[in-house]
Amino acid sequence: MTSLIPLTRRRLLGVGAATIGLGAVGLRPAVAQNAEVALQLSWLHSVQFAGSYIAQQQGYWENEGLKVSLNTGGPNAPVEPPVVAGTALMGISAADYASAAVAQGAPFRIVAVAMKRNPFAIASLPANPVQRPADLVGKRIGMAVANTPVLRALCALNDVDIAGIEIVPTQYDAAPLVNGQVDCLLCWATDLPVAMAIQGIDSTTMLMADYGYAVHSQAYIVTEDSIANRRAEIVGLLRGEVQGWEDYNADTAAAAALTVAMFPDAGLDLATQEEQARRLRPLMFPYGDETRFGWFTDDSVAANIETLALLDRGANADLWDRSLLEEAYAG
């Protein structure tokens, strides 16, 4: 069978044109016109960052007096260094990466969270499904060995003995599952299951966030110095992001079409982008107050701190600062 080529993720690898309507947030210039700022993306261009593309295409940042560059990430382009160096005002990271950087002296604060529900999942086939953590016992799981702490944390949160699970080192590909070499895969819910679906292969996806695994993903980080000296620019950048992602939430198919149209040389397949956008949406807009893009609560922060401790990533509530997002919404 042909190998399924997924959208890769640095964590999982074990290394650190439609018209879209106006958003609901009020517009107000926050800084001098044409202030140049950069937003550092965490990976290569895809619908994962469609809200930012919409903000740029619709002029939401222009209305805030900002000229925003979207810097691509990738396996050899980590998010955190350019934010520390000041070449990017803001970066899209994750709570585990940010907390590790803070432990090494980086002055980061998380100011918004795109994926409130972590995208890590266990994918399996319907004939031998993993529907809850206890089902992992006796199974062969394909994954990068570097992600063993993630599996260990899930087991600890659900009283599952990790010794009863066979870890099989695999590349980040659905082929070992489809070919029967493993019983399940540790992956993102928005990529390997999508790759299988596009190939017409049904799968069962157990989202780890449904079983206590709480790590804010696609989290927006800035430095303390930027908060002190460039606060208006940060708020304007966030306000544009909110508007762009609200448009995405209203029409994920249009967001996928825009992504493919903006990056014709990125090898993006429209059907894949549409399905990924559909599966990404409930991770970003789940429930209650957190339905608002970027929003996070004190309870979700507490849950993150608990999970990060299981990952040996110490963190406290000072890592998160919601005040800038509050200002963006108040605009």
Side-chain angles (χ1 to χ4, degrees), residues 4 6 12 119-125 128-130 136 139-144 147 151 154 165-166 168-189 191-193 195-196 203-208:
L4 301 175
L12 290 159
F120 262 131
I122 307 296
S124 57
L125 298 179
N128 185 22
V130 173
L136 286 166
K139 296 288 198 298
R140 299 165 299 165
I141 184 169
M143 55 182 279
N147 287 315
L151 181 62
L154 177 69
I165 306 168
E166 181 183 353
V168 180
T170 58
Q171 297 296 315
Y172 195 63
D173 196 316
L177 174 61
V178 175
N179 296 335
Q181 297 167 282
V182 296
D183 302 305
C184 55
L185 295 167
L186 179 64
C187 61
W188 268 26
D191 46 31
L192 293 189
M196 287 188 280
S203 64
T204 298
T205 303
M206 186 199 81
L207 192 67
M208 288 171 48

Side-chain angles (χ1 to χ4, degrees), residues 37-323:
V37 302
L39 173 60
Q40 178 65 50
L41 307 182
S42 58
W43 203 251
L44 306 176
H45 286 303
S46 79
V47 77
Q48 180 182 343
F49 310 110
S52 302
Y53 307 149
I54 296 169
Q56 191 174 65
Q57 188 248 10
Q58 290 293 319
Y60 294 152
W61 285 319
E62 254 184 86
N63 292 330
E64 296 295 328
L66 298 175
K67 183 178 180 181
V68 179
S69 299
L70 298 176
N71 298 343
T72 57
N76 300 312
V79 173
E80 296 77 18
V83 179
V84 170
T87 55
L89 175 61
M90 181 183 292
I92 299 176
S93 183
D96 48 350
Y97 281 100
S99 62
V102 168
Q104 295 176 8
F108 289 144
R109 293 291 180 268
I110 293 173
V111 296
V113 175
M115 292 191 202
K116 303 166 187 66
R117 303 179 75 206
N118 190 277
F120 262 131
I122 307 296
S124 57
L125 298 179
N128 185 22
V130 173
Q131 297 175 313
R132 60 188 189 277
D135 294 341
L136 286 166
V137 176
K139 296 288 198 298
R140 299 165 299 165
I141 184 169
M143 55 182 279
V145 175
N147 287 315
T148 302
V150 174
L151 181 62
R152 185 180 296 115
L154 177 69
C155 290
L157 289 163
N158 293 277
D159 297 321
V160 172
D161 186 1
I162 194 173
I165 306 168
E166 181 183 353
I167 297 174
V168 180
T170 58
Q171 297 296 315
Y172 195 63
D173 196 316
L177 174 61
V178 175
N179 296 335
Q181 297 167 282
V182 296
D183 302 305
C184 55
L185 295 167
L186 179 64
C187 61
W188 268 26
T190 55
D191 46 31
L192 293 189
V194 171
M196 287 188 280
I198 295 301
Q199 294 288 332
I201 301 169
D202 292 333
S203 64
T204 298
T205 303
M206 186 199 81
L207 192 67
M208 288 171 48
D210 290 337
Y211 294 92
Y213 188 85
V215 176
H216 286 150
S217 189
Q218 208 157 316
Y220 292 75
I221 60 170
V222 297
T223 63
E224 294 173 343
D225 181 73
S226 291
I227 292 174
N229 297 297
R230 304 181 68 183
R231 189 179 186 95
E233 293 176 22
I234 296 171
V235 170
L237 189 53
L238 287 174
R239 191 175 290 130
E241 280 287 288
V242 168
Q243 292 174 91
W245 283 106
E246 292 292 352
D247 285 357
Y248 164 96
N249 189 31
D251 192 343
T252 59
L258 175 64
T259 300
V260 173
M262 285 184 68
F263 305 102
D265 299 325
L268 301 176
D269 172 71
L270 180 58
T272 299
Q273 295 300 296
E274 288 177 338
E275 183 63 17
Q276 187 178 23
R278 187 184 69 81
R279 297 191 187 210
L280 186 62
R281 183 180 181 185
L283 304 180
M284 291 185 163
F285 300 92
Y287 45 76
D289 282 343
E290 296 193 18
T291 299
R292 292 183 286 175
F293 176 77
W295 200 261
F296 55 90
T297 65
D298 293 345
D299 286 345
S300 72
V301 167
N304 268 251
I305 292 170
E306 178 184 358
T307 302
L308 290 170
L310 295 172
L311 295 171
D312 294 325
R313 301 283 179 89
N316 59 51
D318 290 340
L319 176 60
W320 289 262
D321 182 349
R322 198 172 55 224
S323 65

